[in-house]
Amino acid sequence: MAADGSGGGARKPISVLFVCLGNICRSPMAEGVFRSMTKSDTRVATIDSAGTGAYHEGSPPDPRTMSVLEENGENGYDHQARKIRISDFKDFDYILAMDADNLHDLLRVQKRIVKNSGIHAASAKVMMFGDFGGRGGEEVIDPYYGTRDGFTIAYEQMTRFSKGFIEQVLHGVGVAPS
């Protein structure tokens, strides 16, 4: 990938896809936070989010996701839930899962793509978003069935993970988790 930090020349801007189960709580929150943090950063080209399931396809984010984003100054975020696509594994440099189940599902799909289409059809780095939070493998618990407090906790995690990603991947401090 051109965004891997190797070589001495200018790198192409990276693309990042955040993934949870239904794409209405965690991954759109991660997308909103990351968009806000990188809005003027030319090293980031594309930011999106998706779900491993199509349960809420076409729906806006959960109102609790939106209220926590707005409460923290993340205004004007617009999103419609979608399911992960095979093309995402080629179109994005990083696909970041919110929990181990999402990661397992994504790796299974990626393995199937590689088997059926070849390695170049699935070149994205698939990993846990929580690997960038300082506690390897940290998961974002799905707040959907809980109270609004779960969304506040998720927001705090998204902020910490986004800062870690920016520091490790964009600024090249330390080594990006593998």
Side-chain angles (χ1 to χ4, degrees):
M1 308 224 85
D4 67 2
S6 63
R11 299 185 306 177
K12 79 173 183 94
I14 65 168
S15 53
V16 182
L17 181 68
F18 299 96
V19 180
C20 66
L21 180 61
N23 193 218
I24 61 167
C25 297
R26 296 171 292 173
S27 58
M29 183 180 288
E31 178 189 352
V33 168
F34 193 75
R35 272 186 192 282
S36 177
M37 290 182 158
T38 60
K39 64 183 161 204
S40 61
D41 195 325
T42 58
R43 297 170 296 179
V44 180
T46 305
I47 305 165
D48 198 2
S49 63
T52 56
Y55 309 108
H56 304 284
E57 200 156 9
S59 297
D62 186 290
R64 296 167 292 179
T65 293
M66 294 306 295
S67 69
V68 169
L69 285 172
E70 289 165 2
E71 181 180 286
N72 287 281
E74 319 284 344
N75 298 309
Y77 176 69
D78 186 31
H79 179 76
Q80 286 190 331
R82 72 172 182 89
K83 186 177 179 184
I84 189 96
R85 298 183 285 254
I86 290 173
S87 60
D88 290 333
F89 291 88
K90 175 179 56 81
D91 295 341
F92 288 90
D93 296 305
Y94 291 89
I95 299 178
L96 302 175
M98 297 297 123
D99 64 33
D101 289 336
N102 302 144
L103 181 63
H104 173 76
D105 291 342
L106 291 167
L107 291 172
R108 185 174 40 81
V109 171
Q110 187 178 43
K111 184 177 181 180
R112 188 175 68 231
I113 294 167
V114 169
K115 180 180 176 186
N116 295 336
S117 305
I119 191 71
H120 300 294
S123 56
K125 291 182 182 181
V126 179
M127 54 195 356
M128 290 279 289
F129 190 29
D131 286 345
F132 295 99
R135 304 175 198 147
E138 185 176 351
E139 295 189 357
V140 181
I141 303 301
D142 193 346
Y144 184 72
Y145 293 106
T147 65
R148 190 172 184 285
D149 290 349
F151 288 82
T152 301
I153 292 166
Y155 179 85
E156 292 165 358
Q157 287 179 296
M158 302 308 174
T159 301
R160 184 165 40 89
F161 299 168
S162 292
K163 286 178 182 176
F165 183 92
I166 291 165
E167 182 177 298
Q168 292 178 40
V169 176
L170 298 182
H171 297 310
V173 177
V175 177
S178 56

